[in-house]
Amino acid sequence: PGATRCGTSLHELNKALRIELNANASCTWQIQRNVNQTIRLIFSYLKFAPFSSCETESIRVYDGPSTHSPLLGQVCNNTDAVPVLESSSGSLTFLITTNSVDFTRNFFVFYYFISPESNPVNCGGQLTGPNGTFSSPNYPAPYPAFTYCVWHIQTPKNSKIKLQFQDFFLELDKNCQLDFTAVYNGLTTTTGLIGKVCGRAQPVFESSSNVMTVVLATDSSSSYRGFSAQYSSVPLPGPVEPDTFLTCSSDSMKIVLSKSYLASLGFNEAHLQLIDPSCRPVITDLVTFSFPLTSCGTIKKEEGHSITYTNIISLSSTGSIITRQKNTEIIAKCKMENHSTLEVFYVTRNNVIQNITAMGRYNVSMAFYSSDSFSEPIHQSPYYVDLNQTLFAQVSLHSSDPNLLVFVDTCTASPQPDFGSPTYDLIRSGCHKDDTVVTYPPLEHHGRFKFNAFRFLRSFPSVYLQCDVVICDSNSSSSRCTKGCISRQKRAISPYTWKTNTVLGPIRLKRGLRSAEHSESLTKADAEETPSLQQYDFYTFALVVLISNVLIVVAVILKHHNHQAGYSYQKIQSS
């Protein structure tokens, strides 16, 4: 067809347009027909001004009769695909704007109306396994007009795909804009174009991962016998790397993605972003996002007995075809549970939405302090106290999320570090069980309380303290942290959000310290006097013997003290 003027209304069932535009153009085409069908629009050739950006020069496609209809997609100079867009009704609009660069732009676009039964049989599908074959509809007979077939190929992990066309015969034109086959590196047709081919050939394509997509698109002008193709898997060198992993800590979220996995989704790692577009990954052999829990647009939510932090990895608008039906994104969710086991699992929706969930754990610690200013922690262990001395305890949450509250739900004392029987309750379900307990209002990431050293210490040499701690969203007015003391009857209807326990101790009475110090000093003195003790034992033995034989005892005593005395003993005996 000849080049069309700047915009028009189109009512034909199908039509091909060759569009030629210069600088500073803004042209709108409206396709509309009163039929119960939808529209498939294919931009099979694009030539924008060199180095133009999406902001200044683009094709915007709208799902309806005007530019006020929902945006269906956007095509730019660095679009790495053959754009194919489909409306949801019998009307569609596209707007082409150009920048001020003096350059002749050329586009070839064709559209046709379709219904669910439009595509022929044996047109596209899922191909799995290490190798296989497929062909165009009706092969070796001519393929139908207005055919659009998509084959998704997936081979075993840690392999790539080699695709060979043994026979290939499509309509030939200079830019492959009438009938063509397009091959993509990944699962989508919106990015990752490896090549586009038409005419007569025996092309060979190779992917970088274990997934590949093949498209056949035809118009109505001429039909030929199409193609016959086979694919095979080629092992990738090196060890098998995980597709993704997500780690969650009390402070941050870390998402690591392999490049082969991203390629399988049709992602270009250079164009990835989080909810906050300014958050971009570090790209080495892997692609890594690492960021504080509450940054980069992360969404926090209470879900039953847990708090979740969710972010979304998506392609930035630069270089992408935005399609409402085929949006591709990775959803990463940290679920803070009251255990530390890390579990990662994947859920796939519509082949292109990947969900990754990991279990995380808040970092909580507890310490005694010297006063109610809670400025000087007690570092000594064991902690020696006087009976009825006031003890100040603080539970601290170490997290980058400022909107959290710490609530001390239960505190129990026990002489056993494993908290076996007997036990003594200080706090139970937020209720004071010891009349000396005083709790302080929640302060940022701290839960504080004080109590007097209890009589429990008189009966046991050491006592340990274990506290169950609840962590809540400070923006929730109905969380457990706002309920205070909960009676037994109400406990079942007041679930916690996130709960863990922390242990502190041992605590000992100072009389035990004095006893220990006295015992230690005696041991030290005894060690220094060891020769005297030996001498004392020797004299005891000597006195016992003295009862039976004075002469022998005297001789032995003298022998112990003096070598000369032993000599005298010999003289006495001989005399």
Side-chain angles (χ1 to χ4, degrees):
T4 63
R5 62 183 184 274
C6 180
T8 188
S9 292
L10 303 165
H11 304 286
E12 295 91 339
L13 272 173
N14 61 81
K15 192 173 182 65
L17 303 170
R18 184 170 67 84
I19 300 170
E20 185 177 293
L21 296 174
N22 294 312
N24 300 314
S26 180
C27 307
T28 302
W29 285 262
Q30 182 200 57
I31 306 168
Q32 190 167 13
R33 190 177 176 89
N34 190 20
V35 292
N36 189 26
Q37 291 179 306
T38 58
I39 303 165
R40 180 177 290 138
L41 181 70
I42 301 176
F43 292 91
S44 56
Y45 181 71
L46 302 168
K47 191 173 184 180
F48 290 94
F51 312 111
S52 61
S53 67
C54 289
E55 289 74 22
T56 61
E57 188 160 302
S58 68
I59 303 171
R60 294 172 69 85
V61 183
Y62 298 89
D63 191 13
S66 74
T67 55
H68 298 295
S69 302
L71 180 66
L72 186 61
Q74 178 174 267
V75 182
C76 309
N77 180 47
N78 52 3
T79 294
D80 188 21
V82 181
V84 179
L85 301 104
E86 295 182 10
S87 69
S88 61
S89 65
S91 60
L92 185 147
T93 303
F94 65 94
L95 166 67
I96 304 180
T97 55
T98 64
N99 60 25
S100 59
V101 175
D102 185 14
F103 182 82
T104 301
R105 289 86 168 160
N106 283 287
F107 310 100
F108 191 87
V109 54
F110 63 93
Y111 75 88
Y112 49 91
F113 282 81
I114 58 173
S115 54
E117 63 276 4
S118 295
N119 270 354
V121 295
N122 301 321
C123 178
Q126 304 287 332
L127 304 172
T128 58
N131 51 70
T133 61
F134 61 102
S135 59
S136 56
N138 299 340
Y139 178 85
Y143 47 78
F146 300 125
T147 293
Y148 184 73
C149 306
V150 181
W151 291 269
H152 296 291
I153 306 171
Q154 186 160 5
T155 58
K157 281 186 75 171
N158 209 43
S159 68
K160 60 182 178 179
I161 299 170
K162 184 176 183 180
L163 176 67
Q164 295 177 294
F165 290 89
Q166 292 96 345
D167 186 23
F168 190 93
F169 190 2
L170 271 64
E171 183 178 4
L172 175 64
D173 72 275
K174 180 181 177 182
N175 298 314
C176 293
Q177 59 193 19
L178 303 174
D179 299 345
F180 62 87
T181 292
V183 181
Y184 293 88
N185 196 16
L187 280 175
T188 74
T189 59
T190 58
T191 188
L193 181 66
I194 301 174
K196 184 173 73 163
V197 64
C198 61
R200 299 198 66 174
Q202 286 187 313
V204 177
F205 297 96
E206 199 167 89
S207 68
S208 64
S209 70
N210 67 323
V211 285
M212 175 186 278
T213 300
V214 181
V215 172
L216 170 66
T218 70
D219 67 358
S220 61
S221 55
S222 301
S223 291
Y224 298 88
R225 67 173 176 264
F227 65 76
S228 173
Q230 71 174 17
Y231 71 89
S232 58
S233 59
V234 180
L236 286 171
V240 178
E241 61 180 0
D243 287 336
T244 78
F245 61 87
L246 168 65
T247 54
C248 306
S249 73
S250 191
D251 295 306
S252 64
M253 182 186 299
K254 185 177 182 180
I255 311 164
V256 180
L257 308 162
S258 71
K259 291 183 178 180
S260 61
Y261 174 68
L262 291 169
S264 74
L265 297 177
F267 277 175
N268 181 335
E269 62 264 19
H271 297 151
L272 295 179
Q273 66 181 35
L274 294 173
I275 293 176
D276 180 348
S278 65
C279 294
R280 297 299 178 97
V282 174
I283 301 174
T284 55
D285 292 338
L286 297 168
V287 179
T288 303
F289 288 93
S290 185
F291 52 96
L293 281 180
T294 55
S295 66
C296 296
T298 302
I299 300 167
K300 183 175 73 174
K301 186 179 179 182
E302 284 194 21
E303 294 184 356
H305 290 187
S306 64
I307 294 176
T308 62
Y309 298 86
T310 304
N311 213 308
I312 299 173
I313 300 173
S314 61
L315 279 173
S316 62
S317 59
T318 304
S320 67
I321 304 170
I322 307 166
T323 58
R324 185 159 49 84
Q325 295 97 333
K326 297 184 179 181
N327 186 35
T328 305
E329 57 190 25
I330 299 170
I331 303 172
K333 178 186 289 187
C334 284
K335 191 172 184 179
M336 308 306 281
E337 292 280 17
N338 58 336
H339 57 79
S340 57
T341 303
L342 181 69
E343 301 174 12
V344 181
F345 57 93
Y346 310 94
V347 180
T348 305
R349 299 178 186 170
N350 302 325
N351 295 320
V352 291
I353 300 180
Q354 308 293 316
N355 287 266
I356 310 168
T357 301
M359 301 301 184
R361 181 178 173 85
Y362 286 122
N363 183 9
V364 176
S365 64
M366 183 163 63
F368 286 119
Y369 284 77
S370 59
S371 69
D372 60 2
S373 67
F374 294 96
S375 58
E376 296 179 7
I378 303 296
H379 296 295
Q380 71 185 64
S381 180
Y383 180 25
Y384 285 96
V385 301
D386 290 316
L387 194 62
N388 293 323
Q389 176 182 329
T390 301
L391 308 185
F392 301 92
Q394 174 176 281
V395 178
S396 299
L397 168 65
H398 310 281
S399 174
S400 59
D401 184 351
N403 298 313
L404 294 173
L405 287 179
V406 176
F407 178 74
V408 181
D409 181 79
T410 296
C411 278
T412 302
S414 172
Q416 307 295 331
D418 60 357
F419 287 83
S421 180
T423 59
Y424 178 79
D425 283 350
L426 290 171
I427 304 170
R428 174 67 61 182
S429 299
C431 305
H432 299 171
K433 297 300 181 181
D434 182 284
D435 56 11
T436 68
V437 171
V438 175
T439 53
Y440 296 83
L443 176 66
E444 297 176 342
H445 286 174
H446 305 298
R448 296 168 171 173
F449 63 99
K450 67 179 180 178
F451 61 97
N452 289 355
F454 34 83
R455 292 180 295 276
F456 205 58
L457 278 166
R458 282 181 173 168
S459 306
F460 301 98
S462 297
V463 172
Y464 296 84
L465 188 65
Q466 176 177 271
C467 292
D468 289 344
V469 180
V470 178
I471 297 170
C472 312
D473 186 346
S474 60
N475 295 318
S476 173
S477 60
S478 59
S479 71
R480 173 67 187 94
C481 297
T482 64
K483 301 297 184 184
C485 174
I486 296 179
S487 64
R488 185 181 301 274
Q489 291 79 11
K490 294 181 179 179
R491 219 168 285 169
I493 60 171
S494 302
Y496 55 79
T497 295
W498 188 91
K499 193 172 184 178
T500 189
N501 62 63
T502 184
V503 177
L504 192 59
I507 312 166
R508 295 177 182 171
L509 280 178
K510 283 184 178 177
R511 71 182 183 192
L513 174 62
R514 289 191 291 270
S515 175
E517 288 173 344
H518 178 63
S519 175
E520 184 179 347
S521 65
L522 281 178
T523 302
K524 187 174 181 181
D526 290 348
E528 291 172 352
E529 296 294 330
T530 299
S532 299
L533 289 172
Q534 289 173 346
Q535 189 178 35
Y536 172 77
D537 291 340
F538 190 81
Y539 277 110
T540 304
F541 170 71
L543 290 171
V544 170
V545 179
L546 181 63
I547 300 170
S548 60
N549 193 326
V550 175
L551 178 61
I552 294 174
V553 171
V554 172
V556 174
I557 293 173
L558 290 172
K559 186 177 181 181
H560 177 76
H561 282 285
N562 194 299
H563 177 72
Q564 185 62 40
Y567 174 72
S568 302
Y569 164 72
Q570 292 175 2
K571 289 178 74 176
I572 293 169
Q573 228 180 11
S574 61
S575 61

